[in-house]
Amino acid sequence: MINYKDLGLVNTREMFAKAIKGGYAIPAYNFNNMEQMQAIIQACVETKSPVILQVSAGARKYANPTLLRYMAQGAVEYAKELGCPNPQIVLHLDHGADFDICKSCVDMGFSSVMIDGSSLPYEENVAVTKKVVEYAHKYDVTVEGELGVLAGVEDDVAAEESHYTKPEEVQDFVKKTGVDSLAISIGTSHGRCKFKPEQCTRNADGVLIPPPLAFDVLAEIEKKLPGFPIVLHGSSSVPQEFVKMVNQYGGNMPDAVGIPEEQLRKAAKLAVCKINIDSDIRLAMTGNIRKYFAEHPDHFDPRQYLKPARQAVKDMVAHKILHVLGSDGKA
Ligand code: G3H
Ligand code: 13P
Ligand code: ZN
């Protein structure tokens, strides 16, 4: 049993309380390798932002859970070395599918876990979430639950259509489970194509303009749970500069569309205090790696082509902190 506090990590409790009071959101970035972790930490130290480093089931399969945990421990020391004396870093399990994976993460030093029972019948979601909370809270690990279904791919859970969170369920769910935060569905979705073209309009340049998020549902939820931390998954903005870069240098990503930054900013000022981003990191890296290969066909050292990719992720993370989430200066 390893306690996250011994690794210099923190849970989400105080972070979320401050974010709600201050009208900003904490960035939650998925990471799978060293370059992504370096970029995220460098940007967070430079902007003095707290951060949630999150690990998905896919990341665990790709990189090995133990290595990822040591990388997060390394991130704390790395942040100190970069000049942040008291790093505010959470190591979070993203989309925990069952009690066992949540328990295993608590036991190996994670400071926060998500139990994603959103695809289960309501009472089963309540039961498994409650069980995870009871275990995690013994070690002061915070727990995120989810109500409502996001369209797109949620790790191993694929949903054709979204079902907005029902505001009438949230109070009962939070009361029965004891969760520390709640992920909701108000129109965001995972991946790089968040809306079908027929759900969008197009601007003069043919770029897709997505429909707005359901801020009325968010307002209803906030009314039922005043001051309670709300989480948005599937919140990449899918920057068109990276989509263009991918397509220009041999990729094929038609109709990629994300959540506009102004809508995330608006959500961050309301009850949303954690915003999940993964796809934008993938796009920034892939666009830049494709460009690098096209411009340097003779290069073969991964350090050469990963360097601009890492820089692009760092710049993007800093931009989001400063101009979208508002978490700069809060660490
Ligand atoms: O919510 C899903 C995340 O984007 C993680 O996806 O399992 O492919 O790492 P992944
Ligand atoms: P994106 O696919 O929009 O980056 O969402 C990531 C996410 O929600 C991880 O849990
Ligand atoms: Zn997610």
Side-chain angles (χ1 to χ4, degrees):
M1 175 86 206
I2 297 152
N3 192 282
Y4 68 88
K5 291 175 189 171
D6 297 331
L7 311 179
L9 297 162
V10 298
N11 70 20
T12 58
R13 197 168 289 119
E14 204 184 311
M15 217 180 248
F16 285 169
K18 283 188 188 162
I20 286 183
K21 260 199 186 155
Y24 60 92
I26 311 291
Y29 287 109
N30 289 73
F31 80 107
N32 298 267
N33 65 25
M34 183 188 73
E35 285 76 13
Q36 293 170 338
M37 192 274 275
Q38 287 173 317
I40 296 165
I41 296 301
Q42 287 169 10
C44 289
V45 169
E46 280 179 24
T47 57
K48 298 188 168 52
S49 173
V51 68
I52 297 171
L53 293 174
Q54 50 188 22
V55 168
S56 68
R60 288 164 61 94
K61 258 184 247 160
Y62 172 75
N64 177 283
T66 306
L67 275 179
L68 289 169
R69 201 273 286 159
Y70 274 100
M71 279 170 68
Q73 187 177 352
V76 174
E77 297 311 315
Y78 182 50
K80 287 183 191 164
E81 203 178 299
L82 292 176
C84 176
N86 186 22
Q88 298 295 294
I89 300 174
V90 172
L91 176 61
H92 175 76
L93 169 67
D94 192 27
H95 295 285
D98 53 35
F99 173 79
D100 288 345
I101 187 171
C102 292
K103 178 181 182 300
S104 139
C105 286
V106 170
D107 292 352
M108 73 184 298
F110 280 56
S111 57
S112 171
V113 293
M114 175 189 192
I115 171 70
D116 182 358
S118 61
S119 61
L120 299 171
Y122 181 78
E123 289 305 335
E124 285 175 41
N125 187 2
V126 168
V128 70
T129 305
K130 184 168 185 279
K131 189 172 169 193
V132 170
V133 169
E134 279 168 3
Y135 186 76
H137 280 186
K138 279 195 237 168
Y139 304 96
D140 206 18
V141 169
T142 41
V143 180
E144 175 184 322
E146 179 168 336
L147 267 183
V149 178
L150 273 66
V153 178
E154 260 190 7
D155 264 344
D156 297 330
V157 184
E160 273 288 299
E161 280 182 36
S162 74
H163 301 280
Y164 290 165
T165 305
K166 296 178 188 151
E168 62 274 20
E169 285 181 350
V170 298
Q171 261 176 348
D172 183 68
F173 186 80
V174 167
K175 193 168 152 230
K176 282 188 179 151
T177 59
V179 273
D180 302 283
S181 60
L182 183 67
I184 60 162
S185 171
I186 55 165
T188 62
S189 70
H190 292 101
R192 65 184 158 82
C193 294
K194 302 204 180 293
F195 303 95
K196 295 184 186 118
E198 55 270 29
Q199 293 176 288
C200 305
T201 53
R202 284 191 196 265
N203 71 9
D205 302 323
V207 174
L208 291 173
I209 310 295
L213 298 179
F215 280 101
D216 53 335
V217 176
L218 177 60
E220 279 300 304
I221 291 170
E222 194 170 354
K223 234 189 262 168
K224 306 268 183 195
L225 295 173
F228 191 79
I230 299 298
V231 176
L232 279 192
H233 282 249
S235 295
S236 278
S237 292
V238 187
Q240 291 301 306
E241 60 172 302
F242 297 132
V243 175
K244 269 194 201 142
M245 209 185 262
V246 168
N247 289 333
Q248 183 184 344
Y249 293 102
N252 181 22
M253 285 190 178
D255 298 330
V257 59
I259 310 298
E261 292 185 346
E262 329 67 84
Q263 293 194 36
L264 295 171
R265 183 79 205 103
K266 183 173 164 184
K269 285 185 178 159
L270 300 168
V272 171
C273 65
K274 173 175 180 269
I275 288 192
N276 284 16
I277 296 153
D278 184 356
S279 297
D280 284 354
I281 294 180
R282 300 177 185 197
L283 283 167
M285 291 195 80
T286 303
N288 279 279
I289 290 170
R290 280 191 175 281
K291 180 169 186 280
Y292 192 91
F293 280 149
E295 289 172 353
H296 305 90
D298 57 326
H299 285 189
F300 74 106
D301 182 340
R303 292 172 298 188
Q304 291 171 313
Y305 55 83
L306 288 173
K307 202 171 166 185
R310 180 174 63 188
Q311 184 63 41
V313 173
K314 179 187 170 184
D315 294 345
M316 187 191 65
V317 168
H319 167 83
K320 283 180 190 288
I321 288 168
L322 293 165
H323 304 292
V324 186
L325 309 186
S327 61
D328 52 300
K330 308 296 194 305

